[in-house]
Short mmCIF file of all heavy atoms in Angstrom, two decimals:
data_model
loop_
_atom_site.label_atom_id
_atom_site.label_comp_id
_atom_site.label_asym_id
_atom_site.label_seq_id
_atom_site.Cartn_x
_atom_site.Cartn_y
_atom_site.Cartn_z
N SER A 217 -1.95 -15.72 7.49
CA SER A 217 -1.60 -16.64 6.39
C SER A 217 -0.49 -17.52 6.92
O SER A 217 0.22 -17.21 7.88
CB SER A 217 -1.09 -15.81 5.17
OG SER A 217 -2.09 -14.95 4.72
N VAL A 218 -0.32 -18.68 6.26
CA VAL A 218 0.74 -19.61 6.62
C VAL A 218 1.45 -20.14 5.48
O VAL A 218 0.84 -20.36 4.36
CB VAL A 218 0.09 -20.81 7.48
CG1 VAL A 218 -0.81 -21.64 6.65
CG2 VAL A 218 1.20 -21.67 8.04
N ARG A 219 2.73 -20.34 5.61
CA ARG A 219 3.61 -20.99 4.53
C ARG A 219 4.34 -22.14 5.21
O ARG A 219 4.93 -21.94 6.29
CB ARG A 219 4.60 -20.00 4.00
CG ARG A 219 3.97 -18.83 3.18
CD ARG A 219 5.00 -17.87 2.66
NE ARG A 219 5.50 -17.05 3.74
CZ ARG A 219 6.69 -16.43 3.70
NH1 ARG A 219 7.47 -16.54 2.70
NH2 ARG A 219 7.07 -15.68 4.71
N ILE A 220 4.29 -23.29 4.61
CA ILE A 220 4.97 -24.49 5.15
C ILE A 220 5.70 -25.17 4.00
O ILE A 220 5.15 -25.30 2.92
CB ILE A 220 3.96 -25.51 5.77
CG1 ILE A 220 3.15 -24.79 6.88
CG2 ILE A 220 4.76 -26.65 6.34
CD1 ILE A 220 2.08 -25.66 7.42
N GLY A 221 6.94 -25.52 4.22
CA GLY A 221 7.70 -26.21 3.16
C GLY A 221 8.85 -27.06 3.73
O GLY A 221 9.37 -26.80 4.77
N HIS A 222 9.17 -28.08 2.92
CA HIS A 222 10.37 -28.88 3.19
C HIS A 222 11.34 -28.48 2.10
O HIS A 222 11.28 -28.89 0.95
CB HIS A 222 10.05 -30.39 3.14
CG HIS A 222 11.21 -31.24 3.51
ND1 HIS A 222 11.79 -32.13 2.65
CD2 HIS A 222 11.92 -31.36 4.68
CE1 HIS A 222 12.78 -32.81 3.27
NE2 HIS A 222 12.88 -32.31 4.49
N THR A 223 12.29 -27.59 2.46
CA THR A 223 13.06 -26.93 1.42
C THR A 223 14.51 -26.75 1.86
O THR A 223 14.92 -27.11 2.97
CB THR A 223 12.42 -25.58 1.15
OG1 THR A 223 13.07 -24.99 -0.01
CG2 THR A 223 12.54 -24.62 2.30
N LEU A 224 15.31 -26.25 0.97
CA LEU A 224 16.72 -26.06 1.18
C LEU A 224 17.03 -24.87 2.09
O LEU A 224 16.49 -23.75 1.91
CB LEU A 224 17.46 -25.83 -0.18
CG LEU A 224 18.91 -26.14 -0.35
CD1 LEU A 224 19.14 -27.66 -0.04
CD2 LEU A 224 19.43 -25.77 -1.68
N VAL A 225 17.88 -25.09 3.11
CA VAL A 225 18.25 -24.02 4.03
C VAL A 225 19.74 -24.13 4.31
O VAL A 225 20.43 -25.11 4.02
CB VAL A 225 17.50 -24.13 5.42
CG1 VAL A 225 16.00 -24.10 5.20
CG2 VAL A 225 17.88 -25.40 6.16
N SER A 226 20.27 -23.04 4.80
CA SER A 226 21.72 -23.02 5.20
C SER A 226 21.92 -23.81 6.46
O SER A 226 21.16 -23.67 7.40
CB SER A 226 22.20 -21.61 5.35
OG SER A 226 22.08 -20.89 4.18
N ARG A 227 22.95 -24.68 6.52
CA ARG A 227 23.26 -25.42 7.72
C ARG A 227 23.86 -24.48 8.77
O ARG A 227 24.56 -23.51 8.44
CB ARG A 227 24.26 -26.53 7.39
CG ARG A 227 23.67 -27.69 6.68
CD ARG A 227 24.74 -28.82 6.52
NE ARG A 227 25.17 -29.30 7.84
CZ ARG A 227 26.40 -29.35 8.28
NH1 ARG A 227 27.42 -28.88 7.52
NH2 ARG A 227 26.68 -29.79 9.47
N LYS A 228 23.65 -24.81 10.00
CA LYS A 228 24.30 -24.14 11.09
C LYS A 228 25.64 -24.78 11.31
O LYS A 228 25.68 -25.91 11.86
CB LYS A 228 23.43 -24.17 12.38
CG LYS A 228 22.16 -23.38 12.24
CD LYS A 228 21.32 -23.45 13.51
CE LYS A 228 19.99 -22.68 13.37
NZ LYS A 228 19.20 -22.73 14.59
N LEU A 229 26.70 -24.18 10.86
CA LEU A 229 28.07 -24.78 10.89
C LEU A 229 28.60 -24.75 12.32
O LEU A 229 28.45 -23.79 13.04
CB LEU A 229 28.94 -24.07 9.91
CG LEU A 229 28.55 -24.05 8.45
CD1 LEU A 229 29.62 -23.34 7.62
CD2 LEU A 229 28.27 -25.40 7.93
N SER A 230 29.28 -25.87 12.64
CA SER A 230 29.98 -25.91 13.92
C SER A 230 31.21 -25.07 13.87
O SER A 230 31.65 -24.58 12.79
CB SER A 230 30.33 -27.37 14.26
OG SER A 230 31.24 -27.89 13.31
N LEU A 231 31.83 -24.88 15.04
CA LEU A 231 33.07 -24.06 15.06
C LEU A 231 34.19 -24.63 14.17
O LEU A 231 34.80 -23.90 13.40
CB LEU A 231 33.58 -23.97 16.50
CG LEU A 231 34.92 -23.19 16.70
CD1 LEU A 231 34.82 -21.80 16.20
CD2 LEU A 231 35.34 -23.19 18.13
N TRP A 232 34.41 -25.95 14.27
CA TRP A 232 35.48 -26.53 13.43
C TRP A 232 35.14 -26.48 11.98
O TRP A 232 36.09 -26.31 11.14
CB TRP A 232 35.86 -27.96 13.92
CG TRP A 232 34.83 -28.96 13.46
CD1 TRP A 232 33.74 -29.50 14.17
CD2 TRP A 232 34.78 -29.70 12.21
NE1 TRP A 232 33.06 -30.40 13.46
CE2 TRP A 232 33.63 -30.54 12.24
CE3 TRP A 232 35.59 -29.63 11.08
CZ2 TRP A 232 33.36 -31.40 11.16
CZ3 TRP A 232 35.27 -30.48 10.01
CH2 TRP A 232 34.21 -31.31 10.02
N GLU A 233 33.86 -26.52 11.63
CA GLU A 233 33.50 -26.41 10.21
C GLU A 233 33.77 -25.01 9.69
O GLU A 233 34.15 -24.83 8.55
CB GLU A 233 31.99 -26.81 9.99
CG GLU A 233 31.72 -28.32 10.11
CD GLU A 233 30.27 -28.63 10.03
OE1 GLU A 233 29.46 -27.93 10.67
OE2 GLU A 233 29.94 -29.63 9.33
N ARG A 234 33.47 -24.00 10.53
CA ARG A 234 33.72 -22.65 10.09
C ARG A 234 35.20 -22.34 9.94
O ARG A 234 35.61 -21.72 9.01
CB ARG A 234 33.10 -21.63 11.13
CG ARG A 234 31.57 -21.73 11.21
CD ARG A 234 31.01 -20.49 11.88
NE ARG A 234 31.45 -20.39 13.24
CZ ARG A 234 30.89 -20.90 14.32
NH1 ARG A 234 29.75 -21.65 14.18
NH2 ARG A 234 31.29 -20.65 15.55
N VAL A 235 36.01 -22.92 10.85
CA VAL A 235 37.47 -22.78 10.72
C VAL A 235 37.96 -23.50 9.45
O VAL A 235 38.78 -22.92 8.70
CB VAL A 235 38.15 -23.32 11.99
CG1 VAL A 235 39.71 -23.31 11.72
CG2 VAL A 235 37.75 -22.50 13.19
N ALA A 236 37.51 -24.73 9.26
CA ALA A 236 37.94 -25.50 8.13
C ALA A 236 37.57 -24.79 6.78
O ALA A 236 38.31 -24.79 5.83
CB ALA A 236 37.36 -26.89 8.15
N LYS A 237 36.43 -24.15 6.77
CA LYS A 237 35.96 -23.49 5.62
C LYS A 237 36.91 -22.32 5.25
O LYS A 237 37.23 -22.05 4.07
CB LYS A 237 34.54 -22.98 5.82
CG LYS A 237 33.97 -22.21 4.63
CD LYS A 237 32.54 -21.69 4.89
CE LYS A 237 32.04 -20.87 3.75
NZ LYS A 237 30.65 -20.32 4.01
N LYS A 238 37.39 -21.60 6.28
CA LYS A 238 38.35 -20.51 6.06
C LYS A 238 39.60 -20.97 5.43
O LYS A 238 40.26 -20.19 4.74
CB LYS A 238 38.60 -19.80 7.35
CG LYS A 238 37.43 -18.94 7.89
CD LYS A 238 37.83 -18.13 9.12
CE LYS A 238 36.69 -17.30 9.59
NZ LYS A 238 37.05 -16.47 10.81
N PHE A 239 39.98 -22.22 5.70
CA PHE A 239 41.20 -22.79 5.12
C PHE A 239 40.97 -23.53 3.82
O PHE A 239 41.87 -24.22 3.38
CB PHE A 239 41.93 -23.70 6.14
CG PHE A 239 42.59 -22.89 7.28
CD1 PHE A 239 41.90 -22.73 8.45
CD2 PHE A 239 43.86 -22.44 7.15
CE1 PHE A 239 42.52 -21.98 9.50
CE2 PHE A 239 44.49 -21.73 8.13
CZ PHE A 239 43.80 -21.52 9.36
N GLY A 240 39.84 -23.35 3.23
CA GLY A 240 39.51 -23.86 1.92
C GLY A 240 38.91 -25.26 1.89
O GLY A 240 38.73 -25.82 0.82
N ALA A 241 38.54 -25.85 3.06
CA ALA A 241 37.97 -27.16 3.08
C ALA A 241 36.54 -27.09 2.52
O ALA A 241 35.82 -26.11 2.69
CB ALA A 241 37.96 -27.70 4.49
N LYS A 242 36.14 -28.17 1.84
CA LYS A 242 34.78 -28.21 1.31
C LYS A 242 33.86 -28.72 2.42
O LYS A 242 34.00 -29.82 2.93
CB LYS A 242 34.76 -29.18 0.09
CG LYS A 242 35.45 -28.64 -1.12
CD LYS A 242 35.26 -29.55 -2.31
CE LYS A 242 35.97 -28.97 -3.57
NZ LYS A 242 35.75 -29.86 -4.77
N ILE A 243 32.94 -27.84 2.77
CA ILE A 243 32.00 -28.13 3.88
C ILE A 243 30.57 -28.12 3.29
O ILE A 243 30.23 -27.28 2.47
CB ILE A 243 32.09 -27.02 4.99
CG1 ILE A 243 33.56 -26.98 5.58
CG2 ILE A 243 31.07 -27.31 6.09
CD1 ILE A 243 33.96 -28.25 6.21
N GLN A 244 29.77 -29.08 3.70
CA GLN A 244 28.36 -29.10 3.30
C GLN A 244 27.66 -27.92 3.95
O GLN A 244 27.52 -27.89 5.16
CB GLN A 244 27.73 -30.45 3.67
CG GLN A 244 26.26 -30.51 3.22
CD GLN A 244 25.62 -31.81 3.57
OE1 GLN A 244 26.31 -32.81 3.93
NE2 GLN A 244 24.29 -31.87 3.58
N GLU A 245 27.27 -26.98 3.16
CA GLU A 245 26.66 -25.72 3.64
C GLU A 245 25.15 -25.69 3.65
O GLU A 245 24.54 -24.78 4.20
CB GLU A 245 27.20 -24.53 2.89
CG GLU A 245 28.71 -24.34 3.04
CD GLU A 245 29.23 -23.11 2.42
OE1 GLU A 245 28.62 -22.04 2.65
OE2 GLU A 245 30.21 -23.14 1.60
N PHE A 246 24.55 -26.69 2.98
CA PHE A 246 23.05 -26.65 2.86
C PHE A 246 22.44 -28.01 3.25
O PHE A 246 23.12 -29.03 3.13
CB PHE A 246 22.64 -26.30 1.43
CG PHE A 246 23.13 -24.92 0.95
CD1 PHE A 246 24.30 -24.79 0.26
CD2 PHE A 246 22.42 -23.81 1.31
CE1 PHE A 246 24.79 -23.56 -0.13
CE2 PHE A 246 22.88 -22.54 0.93
CZ PHE A 246 24.04 -22.39 0.19
N GLU A 247 21.20 -27.92 3.66
CA GLU A 247 20.47 -29.17 4.03
C GLU A 247 18.96 -28.87 3.81
O GLU A 247 18.57 -27.74 3.65
CB GLU A 247 20.75 -29.50 5.51
CG GLU A 247 20.25 -28.47 6.48
CD GLU A 247 20.56 -28.79 7.94
OE1 GLU A 247 21.19 -29.84 8.17
OE2 GLU A 247 20.22 -28.01 8.79
N TYR A 248 18.21 -29.97 3.85
CA TYR A 248 16.77 -29.78 3.74
C TYR A 248 16.13 -29.75 5.13
O TYR A 248 16.58 -30.53 6.04
CB TYR A 248 16.15 -30.91 2.93
CG TYR A 248 16.23 -30.73 1.43
CD1 TYR A 248 17.42 -31.13 0.76
CD2 TYR A 248 15.25 -30.04 0.73
CE1 TYR A 248 17.54 -30.90 -0.61
CE2 TYR A 248 15.38 -29.80 -0.66
CZ TYR A 248 16.51 -30.22 -1.29
OH TYR A 248 16.67 -30.02 -2.65
N ALA A 249 15.13 -28.90 5.33
CA ALA A 249 14.50 -28.79 6.62
C ALA A 249 13.07 -28.37 6.42
O ALA A 249 12.70 -27.76 5.40
CB ALA A 249 15.22 -27.84 7.51
N TYR A 250 12.22 -28.64 7.42
CA TYR A 250 10.81 -28.14 7.39
C TYR A 250 10.86 -26.68 7.94
O TYR A 250 11.42 -26.42 9.00
CB TYR A 250 9.93 -28.99 8.26
CG TYR A 250 9.66 -30.34 7.65
CD1 TYR A 250 10.37 -31.49 8.05
CD2 TYR A 250 8.69 -30.51 6.65
CE1 TYR A 250 10.12 -32.69 7.50
CE2 TYR A 250 8.46 -31.75 6.07
CZ TYR A 250 9.21 -32.83 6.51
OH TYR A 250 8.97 -34.08 5.91
N VAL A 251 10.29 -25.81 7.16
CA VAL A 251 10.24 -24.40 7.58
C VAL A 251 8.80 -23.88 7.54
O VAL A 251 7.97 -24.38 6.78
CB VAL A 251 11.13 -23.53 6.70
CG1 VAL A 251 12.58 -23.90 6.93
CG2 VAL A 251 10.81 -23.69 5.21
N PHE A 252 8.51 -22.86 8.34
CA PHE A 252 7.19 -22.39 8.48
C PHE A 252 7.28 -20.83 8.44
O PHE A 252 8.22 -20.22 8.86
CB PHE A 252 6.59 -22.78 9.85
CG PHE A 252 6.63 -24.29 10.04
CD1 PHE A 252 7.80 -24.85 10.63
CD2 PHE A 252 5.58 -25.11 9.65
CE1 PHE A 252 7.87 -26.20 10.82
CE2 PHE A 252 5.68 -26.51 9.86
CZ PHE A 252 6.78 -27.01 10.46
N GLY A 253 6.18 -20.22 7.94
CA GLY A 253 6.16 -18.81 7.88
C GLY A 253 4.76 -18.25 7.87
O GLY A 253 3.83 -18.94 7.52
N SER A 254 4.64 -16.98 8.31
CA SER A 254 3.33 -16.30 8.18
C SER A 254 3.34 -15.52 6.88
O SER A 254 4.12 -15.84 5.97
CB SER A 254 3.13 -15.40 9.38
OG SER A 254 4.17 -14.40 9.45
N ARG A 255 2.54 -14.50 6.76
CA ARG A 255 2.42 -13.74 5.57
C ARG A 255 3.77 -13.11 5.15
O ARG A 255 4.12 -13.14 3.93
CB ARG A 255 1.34 -12.60 5.73
CG ARG A 255 1.25 -11.65 4.54
CD ARG A 255 0.64 -12.39 3.34
NE ARG A 255 0.41 -11.46 2.26
CZ ARG A 255 1.36 -11.04 1.36
NH1 ARG A 255 2.57 -11.45 1.47
NH2 ARG A 255 1.00 -10.21 0.44
N LYS A 256 4.55 -12.56 6.06
CA LYS A 256 5.82 -11.92 5.73
C LYS A 256 6.96 -12.52 6.50
O LYS A 256 8.11 -12.42 6.07
CB LYS A 256 5.69 -10.42 6.12
CG LYS A 256 4.72 -9.62 5.27
CD LYS A 256 5.30 -9.35 3.91
CE LYS A 256 4.40 -8.40 3.13
NZ LYS A 256 4.92 -8.16 1.75
N VAL A 257 6.74 -13.19 7.66
CA VAL A 257 7.79 -13.65 8.55
C VAL A 257 8.00 -15.12 8.36
O VAL A 257 7.08 -15.90 8.33
CB VAL A 257 7.45 -13.25 9.99
CG1 VAL A 257 8.56 -13.79 10.91
CG2 VAL A 257 7.30 -11.75 10.14
N ILE A 258 9.34 -15.50 8.33
CA ILE A 258 9.70 -16.87 8.36
C ILE A 258 10.15 -17.35 9.72
O ILE A 258 11.03 -16.66 10.34
CB ILE A 258 10.84 -17.21 7.32
CG1 ILE A 258 10.36 -16.87 5.91
CG2 ILE A 258 11.32 -18.61 7.40
CD1 ILE A 258 11.43 -17.04 4.86
#
Side-chain angles (χ1 to χ4, degrees):
S217 299
V218 64
R219 294 178 286 159
I220 303 173
H222 185 242
T223 189
L224 203 62
V225 302
S226 299
R227 286 186 61 235
K228 294 180 180 179
L229 302 182
S230 65
L231 176 60
W232 74 265
E233 286 177 317
R234 295 197 298 271
V235 173
K237 180 182 175 181
K238 287 185 178 181
F239 285 94
K242 291 185 177 180
I243 303 296
Q244 182 179 342
E245 298 186 49
F246 299 95
E247 63 183 359
Y248 280 87
Y250 289 99
V251 293
F252 309 87
S254 60
R255 177 66 175 83
K256 293 285 187 181
V257 178
I258 296 176

